[in-house]
Every structure is written in C-alpha cells, then in structure tokens.
Amino acid sequence: MSNDDAAGRAKQKRGSRNRTGGGSAKARRKAARLAAVQALYQIDLNQIEPTGIAVESVIGEFVNHRLGEEIDGAKFVTADPQLFADIVRGAAHRRTEVDGMLASALEPRYALDRLELLMRAILRAGAYELFVHNDTHPRILISEYVDVAHAFFAAREPGMVNGVLDHVARALRPDELAQPDPSRDQSKDR
C-alpha cells in the first residue's frame, strides 16, 4: 500500500472533513515525526517483523484512526501522512542499515538492543531521516528528534538523542553540518 493509498482511504472514511487539523506545514511535520516514533515503538513492542503487510497495517491504523484525532478532549494537529508513512516504512524496512549506523554512534555500554524500546524508536526514526532526507538540514532533524525525546523523557535521554544523532549526522553529512543552520538565519534577527 502506498502513502497515497493510506491517505486516500483515510480521507474517504472521514468524508470531506479537513484533515490538516489547522496546523502549519511545520506543525504537521513535527506531528508526523512524533507519530512515526509511536508507530515504530508499537512495531517493536509487538515484535512485528519490520517488513511486509504488518508494517503497512500499523501505518494504516495510524492514518485511519490516530493522526489528528481528538484525545481526551484535546484536538491534535494532523500529521503529514506521507512523511509519517515514509519514516515508519523506511525505518522498518531499512532497520539493519539504520541499526548499523546507530550501533557505531553509541558508546559500547549502550548497546542498541539494550536500550528502552521508545529510545530505540526515536533513534531509528532520526537516523533514518538523516540517512535519506537530504532536503532537510541535519541540525533541523536532530532538533526535531530531541523535541520528540522531550515529549517522553525529562532526564538525560534528550541529550543522548542529541549526541547519537549528531554522531550519525557527522558520519553521513559532514559537509552540511559545517554550513550554518538555515533555520537560524541571522538576517531575521535584525
């Protein structure tokens, strides 16, 4: 099932309802990253094989029932369904490559298979995006996943996410890291 199929099914099921949740494109991307981490966590928690129909089933469940829904009276911004599906599908299907990148970035005392499932999901999603989404500056991606870590953790975990993803980015995209972060355009401060 393609991203368009999943998004199309969700739209048909909900009729003509506006699925943007009122958020900006940036907010929908942030929501997609958060939801992708939750989906990857669900895949890992349920020990779903990272290939085939099971991953597509999790993607479909999120697109049809969770993205942008009202939970406990709060209306959430609808995640960008294409970005969400790409991250989940890519991180799941390329798990071996992603895990290899993460293993080389982790200190020996923090083996990937010994990390908390949620931490693994955050790192996998972030490393996958650093690996394939060359259209987004690595500092932006690192910051996004540090924010995701802050949504779940209050202690040292966000710092660990920052350090590990920075290591991965330096290995994959060193030239871009040498460039200024485009989100911190100095001309805006004047």
Side-chain angles (χ1 to χ4, degrees), residues 43-74:
I43 288 167
D44 220 9
L45 182 67
N46 294 318
Q47 299 177 352
I48 296 171
E49 285 300 314
T51 58
I53 192 102
V55 170
E56 296 304 321
S57 176
V58 171
I59 291 170
E61 175 191 334
F62 270 76
V63 169
N64 289 323
H65 302 291
R66 296 188 188 184
L67 302 183
E69 290 301 313
E70 186 174 307
I71 300 172
D72 295 330

PDB file of all heavy atoms in Angstrom, residues 43-74:
ATOM      1  N   ILE A  43       5.503  -1.243  16.656  1.00  0.00           N
ATOM      2  CA  ILE A  43       6.053  -2.347  15.866  1.00  0.00           C
ATOM      3  C   ILE A  43       7.049  -3.145  16.705  1.00  0.00           C
ATOM      4  O   ILE A  43       7.008  -4.379  16.733  1.00  0.00           O
ATOM      5  CB  ILE A  43       6.703  -1.808  14.573  1.00  0.00           C
ATOM      6  CG1 ILE A  43       5.614  -1.330  13.609  1.00  0.00           C
ATOM      7  CG2 ILE A  43       7.599  -2.855  13.921  1.00  0.00           C
ATOM      8  CD1 ILE A  43       6.129  -0.494  12.443  1.00  0.00           C
ATOM      9  N   ASP A  44       7.933  -2.449  17.407  1.00  0.00           N
ATOM     10  CA  ASP A  44       8.940  -3.116  18.241  1.00  0.00           C
ATOM     11  C   ASP A  44       8.292  -3.811  19.432  1.00  0.00           C
ATOM     12  O   ASP A  44       8.622  -4.949  19.760  1.00  0.00           O
ATOM     13  CB  ASP A  44       9.966  -2.088  18.719  1.00  0.00           C
ATOM     14  CG  ASP A  44      11.391  -2.611  18.711  1.00  0.00           C
ATOM     15  OD1 ASP A  44      11.635  -3.712  18.176  1.00  0.00           O
ATOM     16  OD2 ASP A  44      12.267  -1.901  19.237  1.00  0.00           O
ATOM     17  N   LEU A  45       7.362  -3.136  20.089  1.00  0.00           N
ATOM     18  CA  LEU A  45       6.695  -3.688  21.265  1.00  0.00           C
ATOM     19  C   LEU A  45       5.960  -4.982  20.931  1.00  0.00           C
ATOM     20  O   LEU A  45       6.001  -5.944  21.686  1.00  0.00           O
ATOM     21  CB  LEU A  45       5.712  -2.665  21.844  1.00  0.00           C
ATOM     22  CG  LEU A  45       4.963  -3.072  23.104  1.00  0.00           C
ATOM     23  CD1 LEU A  45       5.926  -3.189  24.276  1.00  0.00           C
ATOM     24  CD2 LEU A  45       3.885  -2.049  23.423  1.00  0.00           C
ATOM     25  N   ASN A  46       5.300  -5.002  19.791  1.00  0.00           N
ATOM     26  CA  ASN A  46       4.525  -6.172  19.379  1.00  0.00           C
ATOM     27  C   ASN A  46       5.358  -7.174  18.593  1.00  0.00           C
ATOM     28  O   ASN A  46       4.806  -8.138  18.059  1.00  0.00           O
ATOM     29  CB  ASN A  46       3.305  -5.743  18.566  1.00  0.00           C
ATOM     30  CG  ASN A  46       2.325  -4.973  19.423  1.00  0.00           C
ATOM     31  OD1 ASN A  46       2.063  -5.341  20.566  1.00  0.00           O
ATOM     32  ND2 ASN A  46       1.792  -3.894  18.892  1.00  0.00           N
ATOM     33  N   GLN A  47       6.656  -6.904  18.505  1.00  0.00           N
ATOM     34  CA  GLN A  47       7.593  -7.774  17.800  1.00  0.00           C
ATOM     35  C   GLN A  47       7.111  -8.098  16.388  1.00  0.00           C
ATOM     36  O   GLN A  47       7.149  -9.243  15.938  1.00  0.00           O
ATOM     37  CB  GLN A  47       7.840  -9.045  18.608  1.00  0.00           C
ATOM     38  CG  GLN A  47       8.447  -8.759  19.959  1.00  0.00           C
ATOM     39  CD  GLN A  47       8.638  -9.991  20.809  1.00  0.00           C
ATOM     40  OE1 GLN A  47       8.193 -11.076  20.478  1.00  0.00           O
ATOM     41  NE2 GLN A  47       9.299  -9.811  21.929  1.00  0.00           N
ATOM     42  N   ILE A  48       6.645  -7.063  15.719  1.00  0.00           N
ATOM     43  CA  ILE A  48       6.191  -7.202  14.339  1.00  0.00           C
ATOM     44  C   ILE A  48       7.419  -7.229  13.443  1.00  0.00           C
ATOM     45  O   ILE A  48       8.327  -6.421  13.599  1.00  0.00           O
ATOM     46  CB  ILE A  48       5.276  -6.021  13.952  1.00  0.00           C
ATOM     47  CG1 ILE A  48       4.006  -6.052  14.815  1.00  0.00           C
ATOM     48  CG2 ILE A  48       4.938  -6.055  12.468  1.00  0.00           C
ATOM     49  CD1 ILE A  48       3.128  -4.815  14.668  1.00  0.00           C
ATOM     50  N   GLU A  49       7.451  -8.169  12.536  1.00  0.00           N
ATOM     51  CA  GLU A  49       8.567  -8.228  11.588  1.00  0.00           C
ATOM     52  C   GLU A  49       8.615  -6.909  10.818  1.00  0.00           C
ATOM     53  O   GLU A  49       7.575  -6.415  10.370  1.00  0.00           O
ATOM     54  CB  GLU A  49       8.401  -9.397  10.621  1.00  0.00           C
ATOM     55  CG  GLU A  49       8.706 -10.731  11.253  1.00  0.00           C
ATOM     56  CD  GLU A  49      10.124 -10.829  11.774  1.00  0.00           C
ATOM     57  OE1 GLU A  49      11.065 -10.437  11.060  1.00  0.00           O
ATOM     58  OE2 GLU A  49      10.299 -11.300  12.909  1.00  0.00           O
ATOM     59  N   PRO A  50       9.809  -6.326  10.668  1.00  0.00           N
ATOM     60  CA  PRO A  50       9.911  -5.000  10.060  1.00  0.00           C
ATOM     61  C   PRO A  50       9.745  -4.976   8.539  1.00  0.00           C
ATOM     62  O   PRO A  50      10.184  -4.071   7.883  1.00  0.00           O
ATOM     63  CB  PRO A  50      11.314  -4.549  10.473  1.00  0.00           C
ATOM     64  CG  PRO A  50      12.074  -5.804  10.652  1.00  0.00           C
ATOM     65  CD  PRO A  50      11.093  -6.819  11.142  1.00  0.00           C
ATOM     66  N   THR A  51       9.118  -5.989   7.990  1.00  0.00           N
ATOM     67  CA  THR A  51       8.844  -5.995   6.555  1.00  0.00           C
ATOM     68  C   THR A  51       7.415  -6.473   6.340  1.00  0.00           C
ATOM     69  O   THR A  51       6.795  -7.044   7.231  1.00  0.00           O
ATOM     70  CB  THR A  51       9.805  -6.947   5.807  1.00  0.00           C
ATOM     71  OG1 THR A  51       9.669  -8.254   6.355  1.00  0.00           O
ATOM     72  CG2 THR A  51      11.242  -6.490   5.923  1.00  0.00           C
ATOM     73  N   GLY A  52       6.911  -6.216   5.156  1.00  0.00           N
ATOM     74  CA  GLY A  52       5.647  -6.794   4.751  1.00  0.00           C
ATOM     75  C   GLY A  52       4.404  -6.094   5.238  1.00  0.00           C
ATOM     76  O   GLY A  52       4.408  -4.946   5.652  1.00  0.00           O
ATOM     77  N   ILE A  53       3.337  -6.852   5.209  1.00  0.00           N
ATOM     78  CA  ILE A  53       1.997  -6.333   5.435  1.00  0.00           C
ATOM     79  C   ILE A  53       1.787  -5.826   6.857  1.00  0.00           C
ATOM     80  O   ILE A  53       0.999  -4.912   7.074  1.00  0.00           O
ATOM     81  CB  ILE A  53       0.943  -7.407   5.069  1.00  0.00           C
ATOM     82  CG1 ILE A  53      -0.453  -6.807   5.010  1.00  0.00           C
ATOM     83  CG2 ILE A  53       0.958  -8.551   6.033  1.00  0.00           C
ATOM     84  CD1 ILE A  53      -0.908  -6.573   3.621  1.00  0.00           C
ATOM     85  N   ALA A  54       2.480  -6.380   7.836  1.00  0.00           N
ATOM     86  CA  ALA A  54       2.276  -5.966   9.222  1.00  0.00           C
ATOM     87  C   ALA A  54       2.635  -4.497   9.431  1.00  0.00           C
ATOM     88  O   ALA A  54       1.918  -3.772  10.114  1.00  0.00           O
ATOM     89  CB  ALA A  54       3.081  -6.853  10.168  1.00  0.00           C
ATOM     90  N   VAL A  55       3.737  -4.049   8.837  1.00  0.00           N
ATOM     91  CA  VAL A  55       4.122  -2.641   8.950  1.00  0.00           C
ATOM     92  C   VAL A  55       3.067  -1.774   8.273  1.00  0.00           C
ATOM     93  O   VAL A  55       2.675  -0.732   8.796  1.00  0.00           O
ATOM     94  CB  VAL A  55       5.528  -2.401   8.347  1.00  0.00           C
ATOM     95  CG1 VAL A  55       5.830  -0.922   8.237  1.00  0.00           C
ATOM     96  CG2 VAL A  55       6.585  -3.094   9.203  1.00  0.00           C
ATOM     97  N   GLU A  56       2.597  -2.205   7.120  1.00  0.00           N
ATOM     98  CA  GLU A  56       1.557  -1.456   6.415  1.00  0.00           C
ATOM     99  C   GLU A  56       0.278  -1.398   7.235  1.00  0.00           C
ATOM    100  O   GLU A  56      -0.438  -0.394   7.210  1.00  0.00           O
ATOM    101  CB  GLU A  56       1.288  -2.066   5.031  1.00  0.00           C
ATOM    102  CG  GLU A  56       2.478  -2.004   4.089  1.00  0.00           C
ATOM    103  CD  GLU A  56       3.013  -0.596   3.875  1.00  0.00           C
ATOM    104  OE1 GLU A  56       2.206   0.358   3.771  1.00  0.00           O
ATOM    105  OE2 GLU A  56       4.241  -0.448   3.821  1.00  0.00           O
ATOM    106  N   SER A  57      -0.004  -2.435   7.985  1.00  0.00           N
ATOM    107  CA  SER A  57      -1.182  -2.448   8.847  1.00  0.00           C
ATOM    108  C   SER A  57      -1.066  -1.399   9.951  1.00  0.00           C
ATOM    109  O   SER A  57      -2.037  -0.691  10.253  1.00  0.00           O
ATOM    110  CB  SER A  57      -1.342  -3.843   9.457  1.00  0.00           C
ATOM    111  OG  SER A  57      -2.404  -3.865  10.368  1.00  0.00           O
ATOM    112  N   VAL A  58       0.132  -1.280  10.546  1.00  0.00           N
ATOM    113  CA  VAL A  58       0.348  -0.268  11.586  1.00  0.00           C
ATOM    114  C   VAL A  58       0.214   1.128  10.982  1.00  0.00           C
ATOM    115  O   VAL A  58      -0.433   2.006  11.563  1.00  0.00           O
ATOM    116  CB  VAL A  58       1.722  -0.461  12.272  1.00  0.00           C
ATOM    117  CG1 VAL A  58       2.049   0.718  13.190  1.00  0.00           C
ATOM    118  CG2 VAL A  58       1.750  -1.770  13.047  1.00  0.00           C
ATOM    119  N   ILE A  59       0.794   1.333   9.815  1.00  0.00           N
ATOM    120  CA  ILE A  59       0.681   2.635   9.136  1.00  0.00           C
ATOM    121  C   ILE A  59      -0.788   2.955   8.879  1.00  0.00           C
ATOM    122  O   ILE A  59      -1.260   4.054   9.180  1.00  0.00           O
ATOM    123  CB  ILE A  59       1.496   2.658   7.823  1.00  0.00           C
ATOM    124  CG1 ILE A  59       2.998   2.612   8.138  1.00  0.00           C
ATOM    125  CG2 ILE A  59       1.146   3.888   6.983  1.00  0.00           C
ATOM    126  CD1 ILE A  59       3.888   2.387   6.923  1.00  0.00           C
ATOM    127  N   GLY A  60      -1.526   1.995   8.343  1.00  0.00           N
ATOM    128  CA  GLY A  60      -2.947   2.200   8.068  1.00  0.00           C
ATOM    129  C   GLY A  60      -3.746   2.515   9.321  1.00  0.00           C
ATOM    130  O   GLY A  60      -4.615   3.391   9.316  1.00  0.00           O
ATOM    131  N   GLU A  61      -3.433   1.813  10.414  1.00  0.00           N
ATOM    132  CA  GLU A  61      -4.125   2.074  11.684  1.00  0.00           C
ATOM    133  C   GLU A  61      -3.903   3.514  12.136  1.00  0.00           C
ATOM    134  O   GLU A  61      -4.849   4.202  12.530  1.00  0.00           O
ATOM    135  CB  GLU A  61      -3.614   1.118  12.761  1.00  0.00           C
ATOM    136  CG  GLU A  61      -4.190   1.404  14.136  1.00  0.00           C
ATOM    137  CD  GLU A  61      -3.488   0.642  15.243  1.00  0.00           C
ATOM    138  OE1 GLU A  61      -2.923  -0.436  14.980  1.00  0.00           O
ATOM    139  OE2 GLU A  61      -3.515   1.146  16.376  1.00  0.00           O
ATOM    140  N   PHE A  62      -2.673   3.977  12.061  1.00  0.00           N
ATOM    141  CA  PHE A  62      -2.380   5.345  12.487  1.00  0.00           C
ATOM    142  C   PHE A  62      -3.060   6.358  11.573  1.00  0.00           C
ATOM    143  O   PHE A  62      -3.666   7.317  12.047  1.00  0.00           O
ATOM    144  CB  PHE A  62      -0.867   5.589  12.521  1.00  0.00           C
ATOM    145  CG  PHE A  62      -0.233   5.272  13.846  1.00  0.00           C
ATOM    146  CD1 PHE A  62      -0.013   3.957  14.226  1.00  0.00           C
ATOM    147  CD2 PHE A  62       0.130   6.278  14.715  1.00  0.00           C
ATOM    148  CE1 PHE A  62       0.568   3.653  15.445  1.00  0.00           C
ATOM    149  CE2 PHE A  62       0.710   5.996  15.942  1.00  0.00           C
ATOM    150  CZ  PHE A  62       0.928   4.673  16.306  1.00  0.00           C
ATOM    151  N   VAL A  63      -2.960   6.157  10.266  1.00  0.00           N
ATOM    152  CA  VAL A  63      -3.543   7.111   9.322  1.00  0.00           C
ATOM    153  C   VAL A  63      -5.059   7.162   9.479  1.00  0.00           C
ATOM    154  O   VAL A  63      -5.653   8.237   9.480  1.00  0.00           O
ATOM    155  CB  VAL A  63      -3.139   6.767   7.867  1.00  0.00           C
ATOM    156  CG1 VAL A  63      -3.957   7.576   6.860  1.00  0.00           C
ATOM    157  CG2 VAL A  63      -1.645   7.013   7.657  1.00  0.00           C
ATOM    158  N   ASN A  64      -5.677   6.005   9.666  1.00  0.00           N
ATOM    159  CA  ASN A  64      -7.140   5.946   9.734  1.00  0.00           C
ATOM    160  C   ASN A  64      -7.730   6.298  11.094  1.00  0.00           C
ATOM    161  O   ASN A  64      -8.861   6.760  11.174  1.00  0.00           O
ATOM    162  CB  ASN A  64      -7.630   4.549   9.345  1.00  0.00           C
ATOM    163  CG  ASN A  64      -7.445   4.284   7.879  1.00  0.00           C
ATOM    164  OD1 ASN A  64      -7.615   5.174   7.055  1.00  0.00           O
ATOM    165  ND2 ASN A  64      -7.068   3.059   7.550  1.00  0.00           N
ATOM    166  N   HIS A  65      -6.969   6.090  12.171  1.00  0.00           N
ATOM    167  CA  HIS A  65      -7.581   6.206  13.491  1.00  0.00           C
ATOM    168  C   HIS A  65      -6.861   7.118  14.476  1.00  0.00           C
ATOM    169  O   HIS A  65      -7.427   7.424  15.531  1.00  0.00           O
ATOM    170  CB  HIS A  65      -7.703   4.829  14.137  1.00  0.00           C
ATOM    171  CG  HIS A  65      -8.492   3.867  13.319  1.00  0.00           C
ATOM    172  ND1 HIS A  65      -9.846   3.984  13.126  1.00  0.00           N
ATOM    173  CD2 HIS A  65      -8.104   2.780  12.605  1.00  0.00           C
ATOM    174  CE1 HIS A  65     -10.269   3.003  12.337  1.00  0.00           C
ATOM    175  NE2 HIS A  65      -9.238   2.256  12.011  1.00  0.00           N
ATOM    176  N   ARG A  66      -5.637   7.533  14.200  1.00  0.00           N
ATOM    177  CA  ARG A  66      -4.903   8.269  15.224  1.00  0.00           C
ATOM    178  C   ARG A  66      -4.430   9.655  14.804  1.00  0.00           C
ATOM    179  O   ARG A  66      -4.369  10.550  15.637  1.00  0.00           O
ATOM    180  CB  ARG A  66      -3.684   7.464  15.682  1.00  0.00           C
ATOM    181  CG  ARG A  66      -4.061   6.167  16.348  1.00  0.00           C
ATOM    182  CD  ARG A  66      -2.861   5.520  16.939  1.00  0.00           C
ATOM    183  NE  ARG A  66      -3.166   4.194  17.425  1.00  0.00           N
ATOM    184  CZ  ARG A  66      -2.304   3.444  18.058  1.00  0.00           C
ATOM    185  NH1 ARG A  66      -1.091   3.881  18.283  1.00  0.00           N
ATOM    186  NH2 ARG A  66      -2.645   2.254  18.469  1.00  0.00           N
ATOM    187  N   LEU A  67      -4.044   9.832  13.571  1.00  0.00           N
ATOM    188  CA  LEU A  67      -3.461  11.113  13.158  1.00  0.00           C
ATOM    189  C   LEU A  67      -4.510  12.218  13.182  1.00  0.00           C
ATOM    190  O   LEU A  67      -5.512  12.153  12.481  1.00  0.00           O
ATOM    191  CB  LEU A  67      -2.832  11.016  11.766  1.00  0.00           C
ATOM    192  CG  LEU A  67      -1.737   9.971  11.595  1.00  0.00           C
ATOM    193  CD1 LEU A  67      -1.166  10.055  10.176  1.00  0.00           C
ATOM    194  CD2 LEU A  67      -0.632  10.128  12.615  1.00  0.00           C
ATOM    195  N   GLY A  68      -4.288  13.213  14.020  1.00  0.00           N
ATOM    196  CA  GLY A  68      -5.181  14.368  14.083  1.00  0.00           C
ATOM    197  C   GLY A  68      -6.472  14.149  14.821  1.00  0.00           C
ATOM    198  O   GLY A  68      -7.380  14.963  14.751  1.00  0.00           O
ATOM    199  N   GLU A  69      -6.566  13.087  15.562  1.00  0.00           N
ATOM    200  CA  GLU A  69      -7.796  12.792  16.287  1.00  0.00           C
ATOM    201  C   GLU A  69      -7.875  13.590  17.582  1.00  0.00           C
ATOM    202  O   GLU A  69      -6.887  14.103  18.086  1.00  0.00           O
ATOM    203  CB  GLU A  69      -7.877  11.299  16.601  1.00  0.00           C
ATOM    204  CG  GLU A  69      -8.101  10.446  15.371  1.00  0.00           C
ATOM    205  CD  GLU A  69      -9.375  10.798  14.632  1.00  0.00           C
ATOM    206  OE1 GLU A  69     -10.434  10.944  15.268  1.00  0.00           O
ATOM    207  OE2 GLU A  69      -9.300  10.940  13.407  1.00  0.00           O
ATOM    208  N   GLU A  70      -9.068  13.643  18.115  1.00  0.00           N
ATOM    209  CA  GLU A  70      -9.286  14.260  19.419  1.00  0.00           C
ATOM    210  C   GLU A  70      -9.045  13.193  20.475  1.00  0.00           C
ATOM    211  O   GLU A  70      -9.595  12.102  20.407  1.00  0.00           O
ATOM    212  CB  GLU A  70     -10.719  14.780  19.508  1.00  0.00           C
ATOM    213  CG  GLU A  70     -10.984  15.556  20.768  1.00  0.00           C
ATOM    214  CD  GLU A  70     -12.353  16.191  20.766  1.00  0.00           C
ATOM    215  OE1 GLU A  70     -12.678  16.895  19.798  1.00  0.00           O
ATOM    216  OE2 GLU A  70     -13.083  15.970  21.741  1.00  0.00           O
ATOM    217  N   ILE A  71      -8.171  13.510  21.444  1.00  0.00           N
ATOM    218  CA  ILE A  71      -7.862  12.572  22.508  1.00  0.00           C
ATOM    219  C   ILE A  71      -8.068  13.290  23.830  1.00  0.00           C
ATOM    220  O   ILE A  71      -7.484  14.342  24.070  1.00  0.00           O
ATOM    221  CB  ILE A  71      -6.410  12.052  22.382  1.00  0.00           C
ATOM    222  CG1 ILE A  71      -6.220  11.344  21.035  1.00  0.00           C
ATOM    223  CG2 ILE A  71      -6.069  11.126  23.546  1.00  0.00           C
ATOM    224  CD1 ILE A  71      -4.795  10.968  20.731  1.00  0.00           C
ATOM    225  N   ASP A  72      -8.915  12.710  24.666  1.00  0.00           N
ATOM    226  CA  ASP A  72      -9.234  13.302  25.977  1.00  0.00           C
ATOM    227  C   ASP A  72      -9.630  14.767  25.851  1.00  0.00           C
ATOM    228  O   ASP A  72      -9.214  15.613  26.646  1.00  0.00           O
ATOM    229  CB  ASP A  72      -8.051  13.153  26.942  1.00  0.00           C
ATOM    230  CG  ASP A  72      -7.746  11.709  27.272  1.00  0.00           C
ATOM    231  OD1 ASP A  72      -8.692  10.892  27.256  1.00  0.00           O
ATOM    232  OD2 ASP A  72      -6.578  11.403  27.563  1.00  0.00           O
ATOM    233  N   GLY A  73     -10.407  15.075  24.835  1.00  0.00           N
ATOM    234  CA  GLY A  73     -10.919  16.427  24.654  1.00  0.00           C
ATOM    235  C   GLY A  73      -9.974  17.393  23.972  1.00  0.00           C
ATOM    236  O   GLY A  73     -10.341  18.525  23.702  1.00  0.00           O
ATOM    237  N   ALA A  74      -8.754  16.975  23.694  1.00  0.00           N
ATOM    238  CA  ALA A  74      -7.787  17.857  23.027  1.00  0.00           C
ATOM    239  C   ALA A  74      -7.679  17.474  21.554  1.00  0.00           C
ATOM    240  O   ALA A  74      -7.518  16.303  21.216  1.00  0.00           O
ATOM    241  CB  ALA A  74      -6.420  17.744  23.687  1.00  0.00           C
TER     242      ALA A  74
END
